[in-house]
Each structure stands twice: as structure tokens, then as C-alpha cells.
Amino acid sequence: MAEQARGKVEVNQDECKGCGLCVESCPPKGLTLSPELNHYGVHPAQYHAEICTGCGICYFVCPEPGAITVYRLAVAKSEVSDAATV
Amino acid sequence: MSEYNVSQCRTPVFFDRFERKDENQHQTHYCPGCGHGVAHKLIAEALGELGLQDRTVMVSPVGCSVFAYYYFDTGNVQAAHGRAPAVATAVKRSNPGSIVISYQGDGDLAAIGTAEIVHAANRGENITVFFVNNSIYGMTGGQMAPTTLIGQTSTTSPWGRRPNNEGFPIKMAEMLSALEAPVYIERVALSDAKHIMQARRAVKKALQLQKEGAGFTMVEILSPCPTILKMEPTVARHWVADTLIKQFPLGVYRDRKPEFEPVLVPQKGVAELLGISGKRLSDEERHARRQHTRAKTIKVSGFGGQGILLLGQLIAEMGMREHMEVSWLPSYGPEMRSGSAHCDVTLSHDRVGTPLVSTPDVLVAMNEPSLRKFAPHVRPGGVILYNSRQLPEDLKFEGLTVACVPASEIADQIGSAKVSNVVMMGALLEATDCLPFTTAQAVLSGLVKNRKLAEMNEKALEAGRNYLDTEVLVGAVAGPDGCGE
Ligand SMILES: Cc1ncc(C[n+]2csc(CCOP(=O)(O)OP(=O)(O)O)c2C)c(N)n1
Ligand code: SF4
Ligand code: SF4
């Protein structure tokens, strides 16, 4: 089985203004602007490749309060303490 | 497969819905890629992380971020252009437990509001300023800002900013760091992910310092305005990285506690300062007091140097000692001596509505011009005390009590022209019964430490009273309460 991505991103298509800042900022380049238009007539961002690390950078660079939600893979108890020390 | 948990999502520091208009209540009004949106998010996140949401008051400016109050679910005030630091000062001082944010653009903070920010910083107000520097006026369509770069075009610098005509870009972080009081000033940039994360730390640190009561903190945030720069959002960010940062170097400009010990002044009430009992009176006591005092509106007038304003102050202080409600409102020209001067005094048993006395019960006129000017406004049945042996021949007053008291002459005989106002005070107390003589004596002896002058004051007070009693009342045409008419 291919390794599960450590994170994932959801873009609220209604809130996104299609500025593309998240697309440019995503370190593993997991976001892209959709070829489709949303109902405002902009190309909203979308998560297109299962390579998100859950870093949360796209959330912070996005100017809209709720356009982006970032998820992280739930970790087993033993891994939590490891993560906290890195 | 493991589950995914939410790690970053819309913070509850923002309202759920933005009620600015009917549609699109989930979106801000900012242009796509605008730095204001990012700055808002960093602030909201920090407030959430520090648990400050419920204590925070956000002061929104004039500019594109004028609507910040539609977004932040905190206390909100919207200030006039440039005045956010002054409003923030008031909010913080009247509510010291609050966390107060002054959010401002560069036109707001560095142009029209230059005075407010400099003095708030200089006073070390315990507020946090987020200064969004996008090098231009956004809201009004791209006029030159104080931060516009040399050579940068704008609608008001169409040939590019020229130092010889428009001056140089103002570096606010550096400028304010030259002051003693600020504790933390950093400049950050919303140019790319790395710098945005640095900005996030700076925003949080500033708020943390305010939470600790450290003092004045400011984060200058270099920010893209894609619309006015006429650039794609990503390109506008690159412009911030490649051009704006070069002219406005990033970094921490101030991070230290101010080097002075606060001098704390004991808070004293009026009663304590006057050395009188400040205790609240019961209704009976208040009633008993009223027997000794009379409510009056008084205008004292003359020329500067005659002790006009002081006489008003003395009467007001006497009223305070007698537990009356008082006001004193001076009015004088630019001259310290000569020129005309007058003041309004209200002695009342109830709250004073206005300190302005346009129709006085009592007029003290220390010279002829002021008699001619104010006498027509004295209330029917009122009293005029005039500093002379007699009225000018052409003047007649119907329905008023007029007492001519040559206060200056009497003062000269006592030994100093300076005490003419006290002579008048003696006459005024005698004519109106508004306040007890003993209170006048107490106020005067509290005021004058010099023994010779104190003696003269005592004589003057007595002389004024006697003059009214003997010269004016005896042989005068009887007026409503016995004074000469
Ligand atoms: C007293 C007053 N003068 C002028 C204006 C017009 N005005 C509105 S916004 C603005 C400039 C704001 O620029 P900036 O502070 O840089 O904010 P931005 O819009 O770029 O975020 C001006 C001059 C006003 N509203 N009130
Ligand atoms: S940064 Fe936000 S608004 Fe811009 S494209 Fe990405 S999700 Fe949309
Ligand atoms: S004009 Fe500029 S500052 Fe104003 S909302 Fe648009 S991008 Fe932001």
C-alpha cells in the first residue's frame, strides 16, 4: 500500500477568491487553481495531489478567514510525544 | 487507513457571518491576494492562541480595513482617519484590563495620523499597533502615501515620487524606535510563506507583551496591494519581497523594557486636595448646609491683571467647601495683562448643567467697559457690583440692585491694588449672602502664605463688607434688598 499522506487540505470553493497565494506557497506543490470557474467566476484553488504534509502554510498565507482547512493524519499515542520533541 | 484531524481552520475569533451586506457573508471585502486579509488572520489566530478574544477591543481605521469590525468577534470601535491610537489610548486607560489593538494603514498612520501615533508611542501607551504598510492609499484609489517609494508612481505622483518635491519615504518603525518608551517594534513582510510565518510570531509576541502590561508595541507589516499596484496577487507579493523590503528593512527595531522607574502619584480627590471633608452628606446634612448658602450664577469681569479669574476661582472653591456644586469658566484674550477678561461661576445645590453663564444673577464689573457690556444681560432682580463711587451718568438700570463699591480705591488705601478683587468679594458676600464669611477667610488663608499679604486680604474682605453695609446701604435709595439703586 502506498504511504498515506500526512495531511490533506480542503478548499471552500465558495469562499476562495482564486488569488493563487496558497498554490505558490505550498511546499510540496499539492495545490493548483481549478480549470473550472466557481460561481463568482474565479478559478478556485483545489488540492490535486495526495502529497500534503499538513504543514498549515496554505492556511496562513490565504487572506480569507475560512477558505482553507488543513487536516493532519491522526497519530498513535507513542508518536505524539516524538512529534512534540522535533 | 488512519483518520485525519483538523489542524488549521477558520478561527472563532472571526464572526461566523460577516453582516456587512446581504450576500457573500462568508467572504471579506478585500481584493483577492490583499495583505489585509492575511494580517487579519494572523491577529485573529494570535488572539485565539493567547485566549484574549473576550478582552480585546479592536480599533479600526479609515482605509481599506475600515470594516475590520465586521470580521473580528471582539469589542470594536471605528476611529476617525488617523486617530486610532488616540481612541485606543482612551479605551485602554478607561479599561486597563482590556487588550487594545490599533489597526492602521500607512495613509492613516503615517500621513493624517502622524501626531497621534508619535504621541501614543512616546507616552508608552500599553496598546498594540498593527501598521499595514502597502506603500499606497488603497481605498481611495492609489494616491501617494508617505511610504510610497522614490520613483513609484501613484495618481498624485504620476511622474514617480521625487524626493525634491514629495520628500522621502517615511520609515515609521525606525522613527518610533528613536523614542524612549516603546518596548517592542518589529517590521515584517507578507511576501512569502517564510516571512508570513515570521510575521505570525511577531504579531503574537506583541500581543503577549501587551497582555503582560509591558507597554507600547507595534508591528509594521509590509503588505501587498495587488489592485492598486495593478499586479497579479503572486506578483504583488514578489514586489514586496524584491522591492519594498529593500527600502524598508525587516527586523526587530526595539525589544527592551523602557529604562525608567514609573513615578506613581497618589490619587487624591478634590476634597483631599482642599483639605476638607470629602464625605458624602446625608439628605438632612445637605439640607442644613443649604441654609448657609444660596445658589447663584455670577459673572466677574474687568481687565486682565485685576484678579478677575482668581476672584471667580475663590468663589468656586468656597462653594466646594460648602458642598455646593460649582463651575468656573474663564474667558480671556491672548494678553496676560490688560485686555478684557471675565469668568463665569455657578454656585448650585444641584448638578451644574452648563458652566456658561449668559444671564447672571450677579455681575461684578471691575471697570466701565465690562459694566456696559454685561449689565444688559443681568437677570431681572439681579445684583450689579461696580468698581466705582458712582455709575456713569447715562446708565440707568430698572429692576436691578446696583451697588457702587470703589474697590480699587479701597485697595489702594489698604496698601495694594492687588487686593481690589478681595474687597469686591467682601461686598459680594454681603450683598448676596451666597456663602459664609468664615469660608472666605478659610479659603484666603489657605491660599496666601505671605503674612503681610494675608493681613491685607483680611482687611480687604472686611472693608468690602463694611463698605456695602455702611456706605451703600445707609443713605442709598432702597432697592429690592436694601442696596442703593
Ligand atoms: C478625514 C478624512 N480624510 C480623508 C479621507 C479619505 N480617505 C479614505 S481612506 C484614505 C487613505 C487610506 O490609506 P491607507 O491608510 O494607506 O489604507 P489602505 O486603504 O491602503 O489600506 C483616505 C485619504 C477620510 N475618509 N477622512
Ligand atoms: S489563498 Fe485562499 S483565496 Fe487564494 S487561492 Fe488559495 S484558498 Fe483561494
Ligand atoms: S485596494 Fe489594496 S489594500 Fe485595498 S483591499 Fe484591495 S488589495 Fe487590499
Side-chain angles (χ1 to χ4, degrees):
Chain A
M1 188 184 97
E3 216 185 307
Q4 203 180 347
R6 277 185 286 156
K8 77 174 185 184
V9 182
E10 260 172 33
V11 179
N12 180 336
Q13 305 282 308
D14 271 353
E15 198 156 329
C16 171
K17 288 178 175 166
C19 67
L21 299 184
C22 58
V23 174
E24 188 191 56
S25 303
C26 174
K29 301 288 168 232
L31 291 159
T32 181
L33 290 183
S34 160
E36 313 287 324
L37 295 174
N38 70 6
H39 70 275
Y40 304 119
V42 304
H43 297 283
Q46 64 179 16
Y47 180 50
H48 73 121
E50 304 282 299
I51 50 175
C52 175
T53 61
C55 70
I57 282 176
C58 58
Y59 170 82
F60 282 102
V61 304
C62 171
E64 286 303 306
I68 289 185
T69 306
V70 179
Y71 297 83
R72 270 196 203 149
L73 202 58
V75 281
K77 278 246 156 71
S78 63
E79 292 173 62
V80 175
S81 51
D82 286 355
T85 54
V86 284
Chain B
M1 288 285 273
S2 299
E3 291 287 304
Y4 285 100
N5 295 333
V6 173
S7 74
Q8 302 292 348
C9 69
R10 184 193 177 94
T11 155
V13 175
F14 288 124
F15 286 114
D16 267 351
R17 290 253 154 237
F18 308 140
E19 297 190 346
R20 194 172 68 84
K21 41 183 191 168
D22 294 337
E23 75 280 18
N24 292 354
Q25 291 197 343
H26 50 282
Q27 274 189 333
T28 66
H29 72 289
Y30 296 116
C31 306
C34 174
H36 279 303
V38 179
H40 281 22
K41 185 175 278 179
L42 299 182
I43 294 166
E45 282 290 330
L47 290 174
E49 285 167 31
L50 295 168
L52 297 176
Q53 178 177 10
D54 292 341
R55 289 165 55 188
T56 297
V57 179
M58 171 75 103
V59 184
S60 323
V62 166
C64 281
S65 47
V66 62
F67 291 135
Y69 56 85
Y70 278 112
Y71 308 133
F72 288 90
D73 187 0
T74 57
N76 285 287
V77 183
Q78 199 279 316
H81 208 5
R83 312 306 185 235
V87 173
T89 298
V91 172
K92 184 72 183 197
R93 287 191 178 200
S94 53
N95 197 351
S98 58
I99 297 293
V100 184
I101 295 173
S102 178
Y103 186 103
Q104 302 181 259
D106 46 356
D108 192 81
L109 180 140
I112 194 170
T114 324
E116 281 75 12
I117 188 64
V118 168
H119 291 287
N122 190 47
R123 294 189 304 267
E125 295 298 339
N126 190 18
I127 61 174
T128 300
V129 178
F130 293 118
F131 168 37
V132 177
N133 174 356
N134 56 14
S135 83
I136 201 87
Y137 286 13
M139 177 180 245
T140 42
Q143 293 79 5
M144 196 195 82
T147 45
T148 298
L149 302 181
I150 298 299
Q152 187 180 342
T153 55
S154 71
T155 59
T156 47
S157 59
W159 299 281
R161 182 180 192 160
R162 294 161 296 163
N164 55 317
N165 201 49
E166 291 94 31
F168 290 87
I170 296 185
K171 298 180 174 167
M172 291 308 295
E174 288 87 332
M175 220 176 102
L176 296 178
S177 297
L179 300 171
E180 292 297 323
V183 296
Y184 173 60
I185 296 177
E186 178 165 357
R187 184 184 287 123
V188 298
L190 305 177
S191 52
D192 55 75
K194 186 174 137 240
H195 284 108
I196 289 172
M197 292 326 225
Q198 176 54 34
R200 183 189 172 197
R201 285 188 285 276
V203 165
K204 188 169 173 185
K205 177 168 176 178
L207 290 169
Q208 173 67 36
L209 283 167
Q210 184 181 164
K211 186 179 174 189
E212 292 162 10
F216 182 87
T217 51
M218 181 177 93
V219 182
E220 177 173 340
I221 304 171
L222 302 184
S223 173
C225 169
T227 303
I228 301 295
L229 297 179
K230 300 192 180 68
M231 295 173 185
E232 285 300 312
T234 46
V235 180
R237 273 199 336 181
H238 298 160
W239 182 82
V240 172
D242 301 335
T243 308
L244 203 55
I245 288 180
K246 295 229 164 66
Q247 299 301 318
F248 291 99
L250 304 185
V252 177
Y253 286 88
R254 172 60 65 86
D255 192 2
R256 64 152 206 240
K257 289 257 183 291
E259 284 153 12
F260 63 86
E261 283 297 313
V263 181
L264 298 175
V265 181
Q267 296 285 315
K268 282 190 180 177
V270 174
E272 225 178 317
L273 279 173
L274 292 178
I276 58 179
S277 155
K279 80 175 166 71
R280 286 219 155 268
L281 296 184
S282 69
D283 283 350
E284 287 102 84
E285 282 170 313
R286 197 172 282 279
H287 188 75
R289 286 267 180 179
R290 285 188 186 186
Q291 310 303 313
H292 308 293
T293 59
R294 295 208 199 305
K296 292 280 177 220
T297 54
I298 303 168
K299 192 183 279 292
V300 186
S301 59
F303 63 82
Q306 281 185 314
I308 304 293
L309 305 187
L310 180 62
L311 175 53
Q313 275 177 332
L314 293 174
I315 298 169
E317 186 181 329
M318 288 164 61
M320 277 195 266
R321 286 183 188 247
E322 286 302 319
H323 293 263
M324 297 183 90
E325 301 282 338
V326 307
S327 68
W328 169 77
L329 184 72
S331 163
Y332 44 86
E335 309 90 342
M336 290 299 281
R337 294 277 178 269
S338 77
S340 68
H342 70 264
C343 65
D344 293 349
V345 178
T346 305
L347 297 172
S348 172
H349 292 132
D350 302 310
R351 276 191 152 191
V352 178
T354 166
L356 203 66
V357 176
S358 34
T359 53
D361 297 322
V362 183
L363 170 67
V364 175
M366 293 298 281
N367 64 7
E368 191 182 323
S370 53
L371 175 73
R372 290 186 184 275
K373 184 168 175 194
F374 295 115
H377 305 292
V378 178
R379 258 170 217 252
V383 177
I384 295 177
L385 294 160
Y386 178 45
N387 178 20
S388 175
R389 287 195 173 274
Q390 65 214 24
L391 286 178
E393 271 174 17
D394 60 315
L395 286 183
K396 284 253 176 312
F397 299 109
E398 299 271 316
L400 298 178
T401 304
V402 181
C404 292
V405 180
S408 298
E409 223 180 285
I410 298 174
D412 279 341
Q413 286 160 16
I414 291 172
S416 166
K418 273 194 201 162
V419 299
S420 63
N421 57 351
V422 180
V423 174
M424 230 15 151
M425 181 155 115
L428 183 141
L429 298 184
E430 187 65 22
T432 64
D433 272 343
C434 60
L435 290 157
F437 266 88
T438 45
T439 314
Q441 282 152 349
V443 168
L444 283 173
S445 62
L447 181 79
V448 181
K449 297 288 168 238
N450 175 306
R451 217 177 46 112
K452 215 174 135 214
L453 196 60
E455 273 170 19
M456 283 199 282
N457 269 326
E458 226 164 277
K459 277 192 199 152
L461 190 70
E462 216 28 64
R465 175 190 198 174
N466 286 341
Y467 189 88
L468 204 87
D469 238 2
T470 54
E471 309 289 326
V472 178
L473 297 189
V474 175
V477 183
D481 69 351
C483 296
E485 201 167 42

